[in-house]
Amino acid sequence: MSYPIKYIARLDIETTSPLKIGTGQQDWISDQPIYRDAFGMPAIPGTSLTGILRSRLTELAGEEKANQLFGHQGLGNDEGEGSRVILSNASLIGVDNRIMQTAQEYMKNREEIEQVVSMSFIRERVRISDKGSAVDKGKFDEEVLPAGARFRFEICLQGMAEENSDWQSLLNAFYADSFLVGGNTRSGKGQFKVIDAQTASYDLSKADDLQAWANYPMDLNQKVDALKPFEPTTESDPNWEQINLSLKAKDFFSMGAGFGKMYSSHEIRTEDDKPFKVDSIYKKEAKFHYAQGKIDLEQKESVLIPGTSIKGALRHRAAYHYNKLAGCFANQLDQEQLQAALQEEFARKKQQYMDELIELIRKEAQVAENRSGMKSTEYPSKVNEIRRVAKDEKVEQLLAYKKEQIEKWLAHEKGKLERKGTEENNAGISELFGFSRDLSPDEKERQRAGEDVKDKRKGTVVIPDVFIDAAQVKEQLFNHVKIDRFRGGAFNGALFNEMVAATEAEIPLKIQWNTTKIEDENAKEALRLAIEDLKAGRLPLGGRVNHGHGVFLATKAN
């Protein structure tokens, strides 16, 4: 089919939250470094934007429309069709409102570029167990790009005149709050706003338009007169619900940075005017800002409340409410059902190991047959004899060899059944917040065999990072000492301190979730009750909550 119309648009976007586009690899700086282009500049691959755009179009217009525009690999007897939507990589806007495209530009602005390349942060993170504490060996870090970064890219649709409404829908998608880019989007990363969008269309059946399209520049920095401002017609997404809270800190709070800091005598006054070391500080991050044709980080960092901190607390509390609504209590586990399930799985494992042994002996017999010239008519009886030997004599040897693995597996299964109401085994909480877990050896085998064994699921609740102007925050230093529980005295050399924050400013918090992905009514109610706890100050956030820190009250909610 011929598509004579070329729709094209050029967009400049600005991230309103930190961005994480991972590489899937590790380096010596971070466990999860961000994606960079050939010049070392942070970038967003066009494939990432395409995948998100297709997913959103599928949600709003259906799979058939998405296949028409983005192509497919074959439906029924069809041979498949390529995508008619083409997106470029989104490149970071740098010096003089330009993106880096050539080696000549790189050499000309090398100093500024090297400064921009270093403008990323390492965030310390830790995996939390169902008990609300850190998992052993669960600490990791990730590299993120600060909020405020600007990117430029182009999108093109090869279509027909009657598809103008589809083109408008594609461009409007970039304005939706639910259009999130990169990784950890459910923890608030990857949010952005469109700061400039220009569009044009060319009818290649007309000579003038054909010539204009042939002369269309590949340089995304070059101005194109045919591109006109795009006026979005965004509406609220029917698949998403959102609550906006205005929180106020009741007292001190601290979202730990994961390290300490050496304060100068000007920041903390000491008797001898020497630098003073603080063992634990709260988290602060700067944002990008553009001024006078240059890109830089803000001089003053903002106090950060990570979306992960808020999400973790909400998840833990929602699990409590879900179990209460579902009637799942620790003292009501069916022990007979538990034992029956374990015995059934044990029998299955035993049969599996026996079959492995039979298969091994069969292969050995086949080798022996080739060597001794055994006739094919004698082989079935030989196999039956081998199976009898395997069942009567060899299986116990195999089980003895596998005993340790079986015992480990049984302990894993028993623990999983006993923890059926905890977060990682809670179906309702998995719908809300997703999960990621390590598969047992048995589950890995079943997955390799083609069975649908899930080790991860994407959540539906999105909670962005919250930034507080540092000028509105006051600091307070607390000194602590570790106490010996036996004698009630201080441990020698166990004195430590922490710097916490307090503010009277209103703290905006946005929580949104995809209603089409939540089927369990108890899960919806559990989320609502957890948010009510947060609003009423019954759900503290951050560190040292057992010391009274991290209590917030909602002054407004809509």
Side-chain angles (χ1 to χ4, degrees):
M1 183 180 293
S2 175
Y3 299 104
I5 308 298
K6 298 288 186 180
Y7 300 96
I8 192 164
R10 181 179 296 175
L11 289 90
D12 288 358
I13 61 175
E14 180 180 302
T15 59
T16 56
S17 69
L19 177 68
K20 178 191 170 186
I21 303 288
T23 62
Q25 300 176 342
Q26 294 182 341
D27 63 15
W28 63 279
I29 296 178
S30 170
D31 296 323
Q32 300 176 7
I34 60 174
Y35 175 83
R36 298 175 183 273
D37 62 19
F39 303 106
M41 301 276 279
I44 304 174
T47 50
S48 294
L49 295 170
T50 302
I52 302 164
L53 196 57
R54 175 173 186 144
S55 177
R56 178 159 179 80
L57 184 65
T58 303
E59 283 185 6
L60 297 178
E63 186 71 27
E64 183 178 354
K65 176 61 68 174
N67 287 333
Q68 288 176 6
L69 298 185
F70 289 90
H72 54 84
Q73 294 182 346
L75 302 173
N77 297 324
D78 292 348
E79 297 181 357
E81 184 177 354
S83 174
R84 294 193 279 129
V85 179
I86 304 170
L87 284 98
S88 69
N89 287 351
S91 300
L92 186 71
I93 298 175
V95 181
D96 297 330
N97 199 37
R98 296 175 61 85
I99 64 173
M100 194 60 51
Q101 299 178 112
T102 65
Q104 289 82 356
E105 288 180 302
Y106 172 78
M107 295 304 297
K108 179 181 178 182
N109 303 289
R110 186 170 182 175
E111 291 185 4
E112 289 84 354
I113 292 170
E114 290 178 350
Q115 182 182 1
V116 172
V117 167
S118 64
M119 292 178 184
S120 63
F121 296 122
I122 302 296
R123 282 197 180 180
E124 306 286 344
R125 297 188 61 185
V126 64
R127 184 179 177 185
I128 303 298
S129 72
D130 57 283
K131 298 179 178 63
S133 58
V135 174
D136 185 35
K137 299 181 180 178
K139 188 177 183 300
F140 64 99
D141 59 47
E142 62 181 3
E143 185 181 11
V144 297
L145 193 67
R150 295 180 181 178
F151 294 87
R152 179 175 297 152
F153 65 95
E154 283 189 342
I155 176 174
C156 176
L157 169 65
Q158 305 175 58
M160 296 177 288
E162 56 267 26
E163 291 182 315
N164 183 62
S165 60
D166 293 333
W167 174 243
Q168 300 292 319
S169 297
L170 288 176
L171 296 185
N172 280 322
F174 292 106
Y175 290 83
D177 289 340
S178 54
F179 194 98
L180 308 171
V181 180
N184 290 348
T185 56
R186 294 309 184 253
S187 298
K189 296 184 180 66
Q191 298 188 343
F192 65 87
K193 62 182 179 181
V194 179
I195 58 176
D196 185 42
Q198 300 178 2
T199 182
S201 62
Y202 297 85
D203 186 350
L204 303 191
S205 63
K206 300 177 179 178
D208 291 345
D209 280 9
L210 178 62
Q211 184 61 43
W213 178 251
N215 294 330
Y216 191 90
M218 297 295 292
D219 185 358
L220 270 64
N221 293 319
Q222 185 174 333
K223 184 179 179 182
V224 180
D225 293 334
L227 291 174
K228 304 300 180 184
F230 173 73
E231 296 296 334
T233 56
T234 55
E235 298 179 357
S236 59
D237 193 329
N239 296 332
W240 287 78
E241 289 186 10
Q242 178 175 307
I243 182 170
N244 296 301
L245 301 177
S246 184
L247 301 178
K248 198 158 189 177
K250 187 176 180 181
D251 209 330
F252 300 108
F253 61 91
S254 176
M255 310 324 180
F259 49 83
K261 177 183 175 182
M262 188 67 75
Y263 280 77
S264 69
S265 58
H266 299 289
E267 295 174 299
I268 296 182
R269 185 168 297 280
T270 58
E271 294 182 0
D272 52 6
D273 287 337
K274 290 183 178 179
F276 184 80
K277 184 178 185 298
V278 175
D279 299 308
S280 176
I281 61 174
Y282 56 88
K283 184 68 175 174
K284 293 194 291 186
E285 278 186 1
K287 299 180 182 180
F288 278 114
H289 75 104
Y290 291 77
Q292 298 178 348
K294 291 189 176 183
I295 176 175
D296 201 353
L297 287 176
E298 292 178 345
Q299 295 295 320
K300 204 164 219 179
E301 295 179 318
S302 299
V303 176
L304 170 67
I305 301 180
T308 50
S309 295
I310 305 170
K311 182 180 175 183
L314 273 177
R315 179 190 179 110
H316 194 266
R317 183 59 58 87
Y320 161 78
H321 285 300
Y322 183 87
N323 288 332
K324 184 178 177 182
L325 293 167
C328 180
F329 303 102
N331 63 347
Q332 294 180 358
L333 290 176
D334 190 338
Q335 295 298 323
E336 292 184 4
Q337 182 183 4
L338 173 65
Q339 292 300 324
L342 291 177
Q343 291 298 327
E344 181 182 346
E345 290 296 333
F346 179 79
R348 190 178 67 82
K349 292 290 290 185
K350 183 176 179 178
Q351 183 63 44
Q352 176 186 339
Y353 291 142
M354 190 175 70
D355 291 343
E356 288 178 4
L357 178 61
I358 293 173
E359 180 66 17
L360 179 63
I361 296 175
R362 187 194 67 77
K363 290 181 180 179
E364 292 177 353
Q366 195 171 15
V367 174
E369 176 188 3
N370 294 335
R371 289 183 176 178
S372 60
M374 184 185 299
K375 295 180 181 179
S376 58
T377 54
E378 300 177 44
Y379 184 65
S381 61
K382 190 69 176 175
V383 170
N384 290 332
E385 180 183 349
I386 290 168
R387 287 180 176 174
R388 282 196 301 273
V389 172
K391 289 181 179 178
D392 297 339
E393 301 176 9
K394 299 295 184 181
V395 72
E396 294 302 326
Q397 298 178 18
L398 180 66
L399 287 176
Y401 175 72
K402 295 282 189 177
K403 182 180 178 181
E404 183 179 355
Q405 292 172 291
I406 292 176
E407 288 178 346
K408 286 183 178 179
W409 178 84
L410 283 173
H412 173 82
E413 289 297 308
K414 184 177 180 181
K416 188 170 69 174
L417 287 170
E418 290 177 341
R419 298 192 308 273
K420 67 177 183 177
T422 59
E423 296 172 42
E424 63 183 52
N425 298 296
N426 190 313
I429 299 308
S430 296
E431 277 191 359
L432 291 172
F433 298 96
F435 66 89
S436 176
R437 64 186 181 91
D438 297 326
L439 296 179
S440 67
D442 174 63
E443 289 173 322
K444 289 180 180 178
E445 291 177 11
R446 287 156 54 194
Q447 192 180 61
R448 283 194 291 268
E451 190 174 336
D452 186 20
V453 180
K454 296 186 180 297
D455 58 348
K456 56 188 173 182
R457 172 176 174 166
K458 191 174 185 178
T460 60
V461 178
V462 178
I463 304 176
D465 292 339
V466 176
F467 292 92
I468 308 171
D469 185 358
Q472 297 180 306
V473 173
K474 296 180 180 179
E475 296 182 332
Q476 177 65 46
L477 182 68
F478 282 92
N479 292 305
H480 302 281
V481 63
K482 185 177 180 181
I483 301 298
D484 187 330
R485 295 182 181 179
F486 177 71
R487 60 186 178 84
F491 270 99
N492 185 31
L495 180 67
F496 63 98
N497 55 31
E498 63 171 341
M499 186 70 75
V500 298
T503 183
E504 295 183 358
E506 296 284 337
I507 303 171
L509 173 63
K510 179 175 69 175
I511 304 174
Q512 56 184 149
W513 56 93
N514 190 331
T515 56
T516 62
K517 304 294 184 181
I518 308 175
E519 299 177 356
D520 194 327
E521 291 299 323
N522 282 340
K524 296 178 183 178
E525 180 64 10
L527 176 62
R528 187 191 69 80
L529 290 172
I531 294 175
E532 288 298 320
D533 286 344
L534 175 62
K535 290 163 58 178
R538 296 189 294 266
L539 181 58
L541 305 175
R544 304 282 179 185
V545 295
N546 292 332
H547 295 191
H549 295 346
V551 177
F552 295 86
L553 298 170
T555 57
K556 298 177 184 177
N558 60 72

